Amino acid sequence: CVAPEPGSSDLYVADPSSFAPLYVNETNGPKTHDFQRLCEQVILSSKDANTIPRTSNSGIYHSLLDAYLREDQEYDSNGAQSAGDAVLDLLRRGWPPGHEPSYDPDIALTRCAIHGHLQGVAFVHVRLRRYRDAVLTLADARDWPLIIDLCVKHGTLSDGGDPSIWHVA
């Protein structure tokens, strides 16, 4: 399911979404943990998020995001980390600075909001350059250090930010 190495003559890349029925329509019930591992393998093994076919990429990110948001226990992919850390790591990995997102930001925003993952909501707002919304979301989370950090990074017009977020903060 991972893209071929650059310069490889292999032109075929399997679409990971084609394998979803193997995990979801299992006779003994869905094997969501195994499906989660498939999504992780595809995302984490790809050196460049843009090498995965775009149609599969967003589905994989959304599926994995849902799995992480549902988890309330410790999740271990890069060492022990909480499910919340895994959500933020996935959102960052799927939308590096200066690139297009590998997932639909509105879907990620909605799903994070539904599950009460306010740091995820704030992250998407920042990437969409909605700094006021990010500050208000972080205020709901009572994450004062992140609010100050956000204001310092994006509170001036010189870098395309919004100086009014200081007042909002």
Side-chain angles (χ1 to χ4, degrees), residues 9-86:
S9 61
D10 187 10
L11 298 177
Y12 178 75
V13 178
D15 183 354
S17 63
S18 300
F19 296 98
L22 296 173
Y23 298 96
V24 179
N25 297 331
E26 179 68 24
T27 56
N28 296 331
K31 295 184 176 182
T32 54
H33 182 71
D34 291 340
F35 184 62
Q36 180 177 333
R37 290 185 58 207
L38 170 69
C39 294
E40 288 171 351
Q41 179 64 28
V42 171
I43 291 170
L44 298 176
S45 66
S46 175
K47 294 178 181 71
D48 178 13
N50 296 323
T51 61
I52 303 172
R54 195 92 175 148
T55 56
S56 301
N57 206 7
S58 62
I60 291 170
Y61 273 93
H62 296 156
S63 297
L64 194 53
L65 178 63
D66 283 340
Y68 287 165
L69 287 168
R70 281 191 307 268
E71 281 188 353
D72 59 358
Q73 61 211 23
E74 290 295 308
Y75 174 75
D76 191 359
S77 69
N78 297 331
Q81 58 181 347
S82 70
D85 292 339

